[in-house]
Structures are given as structure tokens and as C-alpha cells.
Amino acid sequence: MAKAHILGFPRIGAQRELKFAVESFWRGDTELAALQETGKTLRQRHWAIQAEAGLDYVSVGDFAWYDQILNTLALLGAVPTRFKFDPKKLTLADYFTLARGNPEYFAMEMTKWFDTNYHYLVPEFTADVSFDGGVDWLFEENAEAVALGHKTKVTLVGPLSLLYLGKIKSGISNKLDLLPKVVAGYQKVLKRLQDAGVEWVQIDEPILALELDAAWRDAFEPTYKTLSPAAPKLLLATYFDQVREHSALLRSLPVAGVHLDLVRGAGQLPEFLKDWPQYRVLSAGVVDGRNIWRADLDSALALLQPLQATLGDRLWVSASCSLLHVPVDLANENKLDEELKGWLAFATQKVSEITALKRALNGEEKEVEAQFKAAALAVAARKVSPRIHNPLVQKRLSQIDSISADRNNVFADRIVKQQARFNLPAFPTTNIGSFPQTADIRQARAQYKRGEIGHLDYLNRMRDEVRMVVQKQEEIGLDVLVHGEPERNDMVEYFGEQLWGYAFTANGWVQSYGSRCVKPPFIYGDVYRPEAMTVGWSEFAQSLTSKPMKGMLTGPVTMLQWSFVRDDQPRDQTALQIALALRDEVVDLEKAGIGMIQIDEPAFREGLPLKAADWAHYLDWAVKAFRISASGVQDDTQIHTHMCYSEFNDILPWIAAMDADVITIETSRSDMELLDGFGKFAYPNDIGPGVYDIHSPRVPQVAEMQRLLRKARGVIPDQRLWVNPDCGLKTRGWPETTAALENMVLAARTLREEVATQQQAA
């Protein structure tokens, strides 16, 4: 009999209960016991969803207060030693300090989890890091699930992926030198789980989807030969791409099962079924764990039936990856258009799809006949719906080669005209975009959306906020201003709400990092801009100041990546549709007198395929989409872009090819390490490396930012260097924001004075 399971369930709660409980604890409004009770309630609710749907195992270990990598480090006792915490006595408050920092210590570095919009905390490896054991939370949660009568499958991040995704900080030259210590730590964890009666441990090794060098590939066999003898049955999980190049390796490993992503890794099955070990389970990830479209159950069943004929009860049915990346429950969407809603499935519905497939395989076709029929009707209806295609968009897209993707002149010529127009000082200061979204702002938006206040009242309240933000920036002394974005709920949702082809949910939240949740829109049809989206706001803000005011847009790749994207046409076609819509907005902003326009692309690196062989196609269309959006303006209009929390060094030629006049990047958590590649590459345009981390509540001191700026000067020519935070300030409070920006401006002014003195002395 086939079995059903999932690799993980969303932990935030259908109503973001975990977010609100954690943030209340951070503010000191609630005690630790209340936070722990919320976590317990959510875990038990999610286990019940899985058990009641008919999964054979519930997932334990997918819950995290902040991040699963940080959980793994806390479990192993491998937390960064610079914090001076005792790993075996780590408290939840200590755990959050690792993630968020405090006045004494900056937070752990954060970056994207492969090609998703989830951010993980980067392990820090030093010679004195320990793997001798830490907190008991995982063992306690498993006991909690067992006490409720659940059959559990414990989930762990694998040792090699943990090592690979970390960074060396000091005392060692090769991460693999730590492998014996890491393996010894995992041995202790697995032995404890075995002693607790755990039958299966899912051990995630997503780095197998990457192109690993020989040293890392060769480390798998000895690692798992060491781990397997005194451990529960191990299900080694891979996902996010095909892993056929590792088929021989995976067949050789002493594990009881392997999970394959058959959505993003379609076509890899034949390679694995050759000489598949007779004892080994194959977990088939046939339901998409990263998108919200309803599964084509008939097609999935047709794929699974030959597998069952070969494998029998060694076939497990699952989602392609953890359901962390999709919202919790479609049942909470009471206002969503019924036709569109019928095309969707969230985590709870995907669990039901998985169990329906299992039941059909196990001879219960009649019992799930209605579910299969409904799925078939929904899939067919979506294909023929007239809402999908817009003839005007299709015509314009067919003529895109006639639209220039180049600026009128090269950067060296443009920057002369821009300097003459704006007359900025050395090391100009600016903010990335958003300012704090206060309770009053959110309340006004909600009241307007519910019809409780009229348009004029709403407009006046938002304009009052813009006036205040502009005044504060002038008082602080910033050189280039932003309007603060009080009218924007989210940098993608705001634009998607004004574009044809996008739709929105009320509760479709997913975790981005820590307590930060986003509600991605979904693109169901051709994208089109019916009217200007931001011009009025930018024009009003510019009227309040003589300083340059940046127009703020979200770029085409990020609009694509941070949405649930239609799967009925190539992604590049959808990206180019968005680019054309944004191009129209950029041109209209310039006509309105806005001289600086920032087109944010924080997801540019995130969209990069995991296999280097697939990079060229993606980078070509991603660069083209950005350039199409940005190239319709005159030379003295300055185009900015922003990227954050990604490694850029391997794609710098393409970032340069985007040809933005100014790029701002996140660098503070890496202590400017991310900037080194730009220097070695001799990046030709202006750069603003972030000098303080906006994802932490700590206020950096002037000397700290001066030190970072001096490091930046060693990489970037003075005339090309901007000064700014890492990212927008939407999630911060005003007191810390004001203090941090005042320090930042003072650091920039001090640097100007130092340089002027040096030049005079010379």
C-alpha cells in the first residue's frame, strides 16, 4: 500500500498567529509562557490537519520560532560563539538575540533559501564552534506529538547542507574540516531519536540540487555510512530541481528512502528507477509545494501508477518540497472571486490532494472519485477561461523587439548630466524606500479598504504622512529623499492591485523571515497597466522639497518572483509583460518631473536557476526585462535599483548589464564582504552599500558605520559611493529609525570632511 506524507507544513498559522505572538514577546507585552502556548497550539493544530486528512506520518521538526537553520544550530549547540551563549542553556530570548542582534552584537547574516523568497540565518563557523548538543526542543516536540497519538516523522536539515550553507568566520580554511565534528553531533541527535522510538527521520540535503564539486559529493557516502547504523530509518530529501547527476551516488547511500522533486525535477525518474534498491522507499513529490495552483490529479496519478507497479508499498506520495512556501488554508478566503478560487490549493488543500492520490493508488478510486472529477473540471476550466488572455498585451509583446532596451548614451556620459542636474555632495545619503508603517497608517488603509472613510479623507491622511516623512528627512539631513510609501501595503501587492492579470487573497500569508510574512499575489493572466500607479504620490512629494525625490517602483523580476506565477506560459513572457507595464510608469514619472526613479530588484539573484547550465537563459531575459522597464527616459534621469540578501559575485557581469545608474545593496550583516566582488569586478556605475541592518532593532553607532564606509572606500571609488541603509524601513519604529539615520548622515559628513582634509594635504 502506498503511503502519504509531507516534507513540512507552514508554521506561522492561518491568521499569522505565530507572528503576532513572537512580536508581542519581543515588545515585552506578553510573557514567555504565552508565546510557548501559541507555538504548542499551532503545532497541534497542524498535526491534526495532517492526521485527519489521512497522511501516514505527521511532520515534527518543521516548526521554528524564527528559522529552521537556526533551530538546527540550537539543537546541535553550534550557535555563533561571538555571542558567548552556553548552547546547552540557550533560552528563547537568547535564540531571538542570535536572529535579531542587540546593542552589543550584530545579528547573524541572513540570505535567501536557494531560489525562494524565504530567508535563512547563515551558520557561522569558527575553530571553537561546538556540535556537542544544545536545546531539547525537537525531542520535546516529538514527545508532544506522540502523546497525542500521532505517528511521527522527524525532519532535520542534513549535515552536509548545513555545512555548505554556512560561512567560515575564523580559525579554519575549509568547511569540510568541520565535518567529523558535525557528524558526531548528528549521531547524538539521531541516537536520541532512535531511543525515543522514532521510526523515520527525514534528513534534508537540498544542496544535491546544486552542481557540487567532487569534495562535497565525495563527502556524502562516508557521512551517511557513519550516521545510518545507529539511527532511525533515514529518508534523504532533495528538492527544488532535478538531481539525476547524483543518481548513482544516491543509490549507493545507506539510507532507507529518497525523496525526489518531480515538479521542478520532472523527467528525472527513469535515471533513478534503473536498479532501484529493492529495500528502498521512493518518495515522489508530485504536488507542487511552491505554487498555489490546484493539482492535475489525473496526470499525477498517471505518473504514480507505473511507480506503484514497480515499488508497491515502497512508494510514498508527497509534495515536491515543504509546504512552508505556500499559504495555510484556502478555506479562509471568503471574498476571493469564485472562479479564481476554484483554480487554487493552499497547504491544507495540498495535503488533501496528496492523500487523494494515495487512496486512488490503494484501490479507493470510488471514495475519491468526486475529488478527482472536481480537480479535472477546474484544470480544464482554467485552460479555456477568457480571463487568461488579453489580445492587446499579446500584440504588444509580439512587437517587443522594436522597443529599445538601451539608454540613449552610456553611463559615463549620463552621470555627467545627472551630476549637473542634482549637484549632490560626495557620499550622498538616501533611504532605500519605505519608512515605518505605523498603526495609524495601517488603520487608515484598512478603513479605506472597508469603505469606512472616503477617498478624500484617505488621501489627506496619507498626504499628511508624506509631509511628515519629507520634513523628517530634511531635518535629518538626507540628500536624496523618498516619500515613505505610506499608501503601500507591500512592494509587490501595491502594484499588483493596479495591474490587470493579478489577483489577491485576504489571508494568503507566507513566511519571508522570522516574524516577517508576505501575502504574494497570484498572476493568472496577461499583465497590463490600465493607468498610472505612483505618479500622483511622487509628484506631490516632490512639490514639498527642493531636494531630489525618488520615484519608487518594484522591478519586473521581483514582481514575478514574489508572486505565485501562472504556469501556462514561460516565465520570461510574463516578466516581459510586467516590464512593459513598468516602462509606461517610468516614462510617466519622468514626464511629471521626477528625476530619480528607483526600480527595485531584490529578487534578481533569487530567480537564478540552481544549475549553472540554466543561468544564461534566465539572466538574458531577466536583464532584458529590467532594461525594457528602465530605458525609456532621458540621460539626466537617474535610474536606481536595489538588491538585498543575496550573493552577487557570480552574476556581476549581468548586474552590470542592467545598466542602472545607481545600485544599492545589502552589505552590513556580511561586514561589507558582499562588496568585495563589486570591487574586483570593477563595477562601473554608482554603488550604495548598506551601512546598517534594518532587520534588527539595534541602532548602530556612528563609529560602526564609519568603519564600514572606510572599508567600502577601499573597494569603490569615492565619486561612485553612496551611503544608505541595507533596505527599506517599513518594519522599524520611528525612534530607532530617526536615531540610526542621524548617525548615518553624521558618518557620511565626517567622511566628507576626512576626504576633504586629505585632498587639501595632498
Side-chain angles (χ1 to χ4, degrees):
M1 303 285 280
K3 292 183 178 178
H5 74 117
I6 58 172
L7 274 63
F9 197 83
R11 49 193 177 240
I12 58 172
Q15 304 295 331
R16 293 178 291 164
E17 294 93 328
L18 185 61
K19 167 190 173 66
F20 298 123
V22 164
E23 291 177 352
S24 178
F25 177 72
W26 290 345
R27 292 191 303 268
D29 294 342
T30 54
E31 298 295 328
L32 175 62
L35 174 59
Q36 291 174 325
E37 186 61 30
T38 298
K40 181 178 179 181
T41 298
L42 288 172
R43 288 193 299 271
Q44 294 186 3
R45 182 188 305 163
H46 299 158
W47 291 332
I49 289 170
Q50 297 169 55
E52 291 167 9
L55 294 184
D56 292 278
Y57 302 94
V58 302
S59 281
V60 171
D62 53 354
F63 178 83
W65 297 107
Y66 197 99
D67 167 54
Q68 69 265 20
I69 292 290
L70 182 56
N71 267 36
T72 307
L73 297 173
L75 171 69
L76 295 168
V79 297
T81 56
R82 61 185 172 88
F83 288 87
K84 300 180 174 61
F85 292 143
D86 182 345
K88 295 184 185 299
K89 298 179 181 178
L90 193 77
T91 67
L92 202 49
D94 296 337
Y95 171 95
F96 287 131
T97 297
L98 296 168
R100 304 176 73 229
N102 62 20
E104 186 176 0
Y105 301 112
F106 58 86
M108 293 175 64
E109 185 178 347
M110 185 164 59
T111 195
K112 297 292 179 71
W113 180 247
F114 295 85
D115 58 347
T116 75
N117 187 32
Y118 179 80
H119 305 63
Y120 73 93
L121 291 167
V122 180
E124 298 178 14
F125 298 134
T126 53
D128 59 346
V129 68
S130 168
F131 296 87
D132 292 334
V135 299
D136 289 338
W137 302 341
L138 176 67
F139 310 110
E140 292 164 356
E141 289 169 16
N142 183 69
E144 179 186 331
V146 171
L148 292 169
H150 296 305
K151 195 171 185 181
T152 64
K153 171 176 59 69
V154 172
T155 298
L156 289 174
V157 177
L160 286 156
S161 291
L162 184 75
L163 263 184
Y164 189 94
L165 297 172
K167 281 190 173 181
I168 293 173
K169 293 299 180 179
S170 65
I172 54 173
S173 59
N174 188 328
K175 285 184 283 189
L176 284 172
D177 291 343
L178 289 174
L179 187 57
K181 291 169 66 174
V182 175
V183 170
Y186 272 84
Q187 281 182 298
K188 293 177 183 178
V189 170
L190 291 169
K191 182 64 167 61
R192 284 190 65 178
L193 291 171
Q194 185 181 51
D195 291 344
V198 172
E199 181 186 6
W200 281 92
V201 170
Q202 171 192 313
I203 194 157
D204 290 3
E205 293 286 11
I207 63 167
L208 285 165
L210 306 176
E211 291 166 322
L212 299 174
D213 63 33
W216 286 93
R217 290 195 308 271
D218 293 345
F220 271 86
E221 190 167 356
T223 294
Y224 281 90
K225 281 186 175 179
T226 302
L227 292 179
S228 295
K233 297 176 184 176
L234 299 181
L235 176 73
L236 190 145
T238 70
Y239 40 80
F240 296 156
D241 207 330
Q242 59 84 16
V243 292
R244 64 167 63 91
E245 64 269 32
H246 302 309
S247 59
L249 169 64
L250 287 170
R251 276 196 297 269
S252 72
L253 295 182
V255 294
V258 172
H259 172 85
L260 300 177
D261 182 340
L262 299 181
V263 176
R264 293 208 164 200
Q268 64 179 321
L269 265 179
E271 191 68 34
F272 279 92
L273 291 179
K274 299 174 186 174
D275 304 319
W276 187 256
Q278 292 299 310
Y279 64 88
R280 183 169 296 168
V281 162
L282 173 63
S283 171
V286 294
V287 171
D288 194 344
R290 288 186 54 175
N291 213 331
I292 60 173
W293 303 111
R294 197 166 182 167
D296 184 340
L297 294 180
D298 288 329
S299 295
L301 184 62
L303 175 66
L304 291 169
Q305 284 172 329
L307 288 178
Q308 188 189 37
T310 301
L311 300 171
D313 60 5
R314 291 180 292 125
L315 174 64
W316 289 14
V317 184
S318 189
S320 58
C321 61
S322 170
L323 300 178
L324 170 72
H325 308 288
V326 295
V328 177
D329 194 351
L330 188 63
N332 295 313
E333 301 300 327
N334 298 320
K335 297 181 180 179
L336 186 60
D337 177 287
E338 285 300 317
E339 181 182 21
L340 297 180
K341 185 176 179 179
W343 299 345
L344 308 181
F346 291 177
T348 301
Q349 289 68 46
K350 289 178 183 293
V351 170
S352 180
E353 290 175 335
I354 291 165
T355 56
L357 289 166
K358 180 193 82 166
R359 296 181 70 185
L361 288 169
N362 291 342
E364 299 179 48
E365 295 93 337
K366 289 292 183 184
E367 288 81 353
V368 292
E369 183 178 7
Q371 191 172 349
F372 269 72
K373 184 176 180 180
L377 289 172
V379 169
R382 180 177 164 222
K383 289 179 180 178
V384 299
S385 173
R387 303 173 70 172
I388 301 297
H389 300 293
N390 183 320
L392 294 176
V393 177
Q394 294 290 326
K395 181 179 179 181
R396 192 179 185 193
L397 190 63
S398 70
Q399 299 170 346
I400 198 166
D401 289 339
S402 66
I403 299 173
S404 175
D406 297 323
R407 299 287 295 273
N408 294 331
N409 288 290
V410 298
F411 171 76
D413 296 332
R414 299 195 308 265
I415 194 63
V416 173
K417 296 178 182 179
Q418 292 164 14
Q419 288 170 342
R421 177 177 181 178
F422 301 118
N423 192 30
L424 296 173
F427 314 115
T429 57
T430 188
N431 182 32
I432 299 302
S434 58
F435 270 94
Q437 295 254 324
T438 64
D440 288 343
I441 294 174
R442 293 193 296 270
Q443 182 184 42
R445 283 204 309 262
Q447 288 175 327
Y448 178 58
K449 201 168 186 178
R450 293 193 298 263
E452 296 171 5
I453 59 174
H455 178 70
L456 186 58
D457 188 11
Y458 171 73
L459 184 64
N460 286 334
R461 289 170 71 173
M462 293 298 105
R463 284 187 167 185
D464 286 344
E465 184 71 19
V466 172
R467 287 190 187 93
M468 184 272 290
V469 166
V470 172
Q471 181 181 344
K472 273 190 175 288
Q473 290 175 89
E474 291 196 317
E475 291 170 353
I476 291 168
L478 291 170
D479 301 305
V480 174
L481 311 188
V482 296
H483 81 284
E485 306 177 10
E487 80 286 2
R488 303 186 188 184
N489 44 12
D490 176 82
M491 65 183 295
V492 173
E493 183 172 354
Y494 174 78
F495 292 98
E497 286 176 337
Q498 301 179 77
L499 293 170
W500 196 94
Y502 272 83
F504 295 84
T505 62
N507 295 289
W509 298 98
V510 295
Q511 186 179 21
S512 178
Y513 65 86
S515 69
R516 171 72 169 144
C517 300
V518 294
K519 186 156 59 68
F522 61 99
I523 305 173
Y524 66 85
D526 292 336
V527 178
Y528 175 74
R529 185 197 78 145
E531 60 185 7
M533 301 179 286
T534 67
V535 174
W537 294 107
S538 294
E539 199 171 22
F540 171 71
Q542 184 65 82
S543 74
L544 302 173
T545 181
S546 60
K547 291 186 173 183
M549 177 67 60
K550 288 191 292 188
M552 303 299 302
L553 305 175
T554 302
V557 175
T558 300
M559 288 291 295
L560 185 85
Q561 281 294 125
W562 291 1
S563 303
F564 293 114
V565 184
R566 58 190 293 191
D567 56 0
D568 62 334
Q569 73 174 11
R571 293 171 70 87
D572 61 324
Q573 298 300 297
T574 304
L576 290 172
Q577 290 178 1
I578 300 169
L580 289 169
L582 292 174
R583 181 186 180 91
D584 294 342
E585 187 73 11
V586 169
V587 169
D588 284 348
L589 282 167
E590 184 185 58
K591 288 177 181 176
I594 305 303
M596 292 185 181
I597 302 169
Q598 183 169 308
I599 307 172
D600 287 339
E601 284 291 22
F604 189 87
R605 177 63 171 79
E606 172 190 314
L608 194 68
L610 300 184
K611 301 284 197 298
D614 301 324
W615 284 10
H617 174 67
Y618 164 77
L619 289 165
D620 285 348
W621 66 253
V623 169
K624 181 179 181 179
F626 181 86
R627 291 177 66 120
I628 286 287
S629 70
S631 63
V633 295
Q634 299 303 308
D635 286 353
D636 65 349
T637 294
Q638 190 170 78
I639 297 295
H640 292 234
T641 192
H642 172 65
M643 298 181 180
C644 57
Y645 295 99
S646 294
E647 300 284 351
F648 303 117
N649 294 352
D650 46 6
I651 58 168
L652 282 171
W654 289 274
I655 293 178
M658 294 168 68
D659 199 26
D661 298 305
V662 183
I663 181 173
T664 51
I665 58 174
E666 173 276 322
T667 52
S668 69
R669 283 201 182 194
S670 69
D671 201 40
M672 289 286 169
E673 286 179 8
L674 289 176
L675 195 59
D676 292 344
F678 284 83
K680 292 174 183 175
F681 176 73
Y683 185 80
N685 300 9
D686 284 13
I687 304 179
V691 296
Y692 83 88
D693 173 25
I694 66 89
H695 295 93
S696 170
R698 70 187 294 269
V699 175
Q701 298 305 303
V702 174
E704 183 179 327
M705 288 190 270
Q706 287 174 327
R707 183 183 65 81
L708 291 175
L709 285 171
R710 291 185 185 109
K711 289 187 72 172
R713 286 189 67 207
V715 177
I716 304 301
D718 287 352
Q719 68 272 22
R720 296 282 177 262
L721 184 59
W722 286 61
V723 181
N724 45 262
D726 273 343
C727 200
L729 297 163
K730 172 181 176 180
T731 60
R732 302 269 56 92
W734 269 112
E736 66 193 77
T737 292
T738 301
L741 288 178
E742 287 174 345
N743 287 351
M744 186 186 82
V745 168
L746 182 55
R749 288 175 176 171
T750 303
L751 188 62
R752 288 171 198 159
E753 293 170 1
E754 286 180 7
V755 172
T757 301
Q758 291 169 1
Q759 290 173 343
Q760 289 172 359

